[in-house]
Amino acid sequence: MRPSTSHAAHRILPRTLAIGCLSLFCLVPLAGCGYHTAGSAAHIPASVRTIAVPVFGTHAQAYHTEMALTQAVVHELNTRTRYRVLTGSSADADAVLSGTILTQTPEPLTYDSTTGETSSYLVTVTVKVVLTARDGRVLYQNDALSYREQYQSTQDLTGFIREDPAAVNRLARDFAQALVGDMLESF
């Protein structure tokens, strides 16, 4: 006995509805996901074309880190964005990116078993960063952007940051990549 067309329709209709609902369920989250063109910022209005980056301030007792971070951020903004980047404070800038190093701590991570000296360190830098528009609006803010990196060294803990500018420059470069990525791609 062959099923009637109404009985076959009753079997197909729930399957079609289920597929339709599943498709809608999968597509709805994508509607507000915030996809945008690379190199453009979700929080930064199109009217911002020039960003000033004054030398970062510091509360840490470390030599030259604020200069290394500032230079790395300027380089990263020049490399990854279309903004005109000015070093120092400037009244001509559409926005100002200011930063303050809150902490910088090198901690011993591994030891050489033969000498008992530290052979690698975990360096943690925490920075407060604010991008402010000319009219005073905060376009981006992170009150405690932390970056951690492990570095090899044969230096003692107290002299590691002071005497190893290559480690500070690597840390600054990696930090700048993380900061600019967060500014441009977080949504």
Side-chain angles (χ1 to χ4, degrees):
M1 176 173 189
R2 220 175 111 194
S4 69
T5 55
S6 65
H7 183 64
H10 286 295
R11 286 188 300 168
I12 293 174
L13 185 60
R15 186 179 312 154
T16 304
L17 280 173
I19 291 172
C21 289
L22 182 61
S23 297
L24 184 61
F25 178 74
C26 291
L27 293 175
V28 167
L30 295 177
C33 69
Y35 282 110
H36 55 277
T37 307
S40 66
H43 338 332
I44 303 174
S47 62
V48 174
R49 295 187 179 134
T50 306
I51 297 177
V53 183
V55 175
F56 283 19
T58 186
H59 297 298
Q61 296 295 327
Y63 174 72
H64 195 66
T65 304
E66 68 279 0
M67 289 300 295
L69 285 179
T70 304
Q71 290 169 353
V73 169
V74 166
H75 175 72
E76 193 68 18
L77 284 168
N78 279 327
T79 303
R80 288 181 59 185
T81 71
R82 296 181 185 155
Y83 300 115
R84 193 172 121 230
V85 181
L86 306 173
T87 55
S89 293
S90 175
D92 297 334
D94 299 319
V96 176
L97 178 63
S98 55
T100 304
I101 300 170
L102 303 173
T103 61
Q104 179 175 333
T105 54
E107 299 175 38
L109 192 61
T110 60
Y111 295 91
D112 182 337
S113 60
T114 58
T115 65
E117 292 182 15
T118 305
S119 59
S120 71
Y121 297 88
L122 180 66
V123 179
T124 304
V125 175
T126 304
V127 181
K128 177 179 181 178
V129 183
V130 180
L131 180 66
T132 309
R134 186 182 298 169
D135 64 6
R137 284 179 301 133
V138 174
L139 304 174
Y140 171 83
Q141 182 169 352
N142 190 326
D143 290 333
L145 181 60
S146 289
Y147 189 79
R148 293 174 182 84
E149 191 65 50
Q150 178 181 348
Y151 295 104
Q152 301 299 318
S153 179
T154 58
Q155 306 294 323
D156 66 312
L157 181 58
T158 58
F160 174 66
I161 292 299
R162 243 186 340 267
E163 296 177 11
D164 198 344
V168 173
N169 290 335
R170 284 192 314 270
L171 178 88
R173 183 192 66 233
D174 295 345
F175 174 83
Q177 289 172 351
L179 169 62
V180 172
D182 192 42
M183 283 176 46
L184 297 178
E185 298 163 7
S186 64
F187 39 92

